[in-house]
Structures are given as C-alpha cells and as structure tokens.
Amino acid sequence: MATTLDNKTPLGKMILKNLYLKGKNQAWLAQQIHVKPNHICILCSRTVCPKAETLLKISKALDIDVGELYKAVAETVENRER
C-alpha cells in the first residue's frame, strides 16, 4: 500500500485496507458514495463520527459488514477519549 496506516484511525485503516484489496482508491469511493474526495480523507485520518447513512454507503460500496464499520468507529472514538 502506498500510504502508511500509522496515522490513520481504525475506521480509516479499515476503509483503506478494503480499497487496496479491491484495487480502488479514495476518489473512487467518494464517487460511489456521492461525497467529495476530501471527505474520505477526513474519515480516514481524523476522529470523526460519520453519519449512519455514510457508513451504510461505504459498507455497500466496499462490501463490508456495516457492523464492522460501526465497531471501527467505536474504537476510533474510544481512542480519542484516552
């Protein structure tokens, strides 16, 4: 993978890993879920809580169980509170 995952949130790591496995990039995902590419970058590198609708769209686009995405968000928030 061209990017390092060290500074990414758990949600970001999950998104980037699945993009890599599918041979896709963040711009592709942004197009699939109808957001600007910088929104994907923010989801991957900052502690944010995306809307449920956004998680569902990501789940469908990347064929990831939405429950796994929710777990990653919870871990991201938990890490922020430490």
Side-chain angles (χ1 to χ4, degrees):
M1 196 175 315
T3 184
T4 179
L5 296 179
D6 293 342
N7 64 341
K8 304 301 181 197
T9 64
L11 176 61
K13 289 176 184 178
M14 180 177 288
I15 290 171
L16 293 172
K17 176 183 149 194
N18 281 278
L19 283 171
Y20 175 77
L21 292 173
K22 294 183 182 331
K24 304 294 183 183
N25 59 30
Q26 292 180 41
W28 173 87
L29 180 58
Q31 185 178 28
Q32 297 301 304
I33 68 170
H34 308 289
V35 298
K36 293 181 181 179
N38 69 333
H39 188 73
I40 303 301
C41 183
I42 290 168
L43 288 176
C44 291
S45 54
R46 295 190 190 151
T47 305
V48 295
C49 292
K51 294 179 181 180
E53 178 183 353
T54 302
L55 289 177
L56 188 57
K57 288 178 181 179
I58 292 170
S59 170
K60 289 179 181 179
L62 295 177
D63 193 29
I64 304 172
D65 178 61
V66 74
E68 293 300 314
L69 290 172
Y70 276 108
K71 286 179 190 176
V73 170
E75 186 178 339
T76 298
V77 171
E78 190 177 291
N79 289 345
R80 175 180 65 184
E81 294 174 353
R82 288 184 196 166

